[in-house]
Amino acid sequence: MNKNIISLFSFGLLLILIGAVGTFFAWDQAMIFIGLGLTFESLALLFFAWKRLKNK
């Protein structure tokens, strides 16, 4: 895998984790962190799929 894809994936997981912890403390911005994390996860998935399809 490319380092960019791994970086996006791990950053997305970090944001989701921060958002999950934030929901326990009733932070107002917790859902924003979860949404951003899911966005980065989706980008990593799209880049991964694009590279796989491009190589075929």
Side-chain angles (χ1 to χ4, degrees), residues 7-34:
S7 177
L8 281 175
F9 184 75
S10 60
F11 187 63
L13 285 178
L14 177 71
L15 286 175
I16 291 172
L17 181 67
I18 291 171
V21 169
T23 57
F24 290 119
F25 294 114
W27 291 341
D28 293 334
Q29 295 86 5
M31 285 297 163
I32 293 173
F33 280 106
I34 292 174

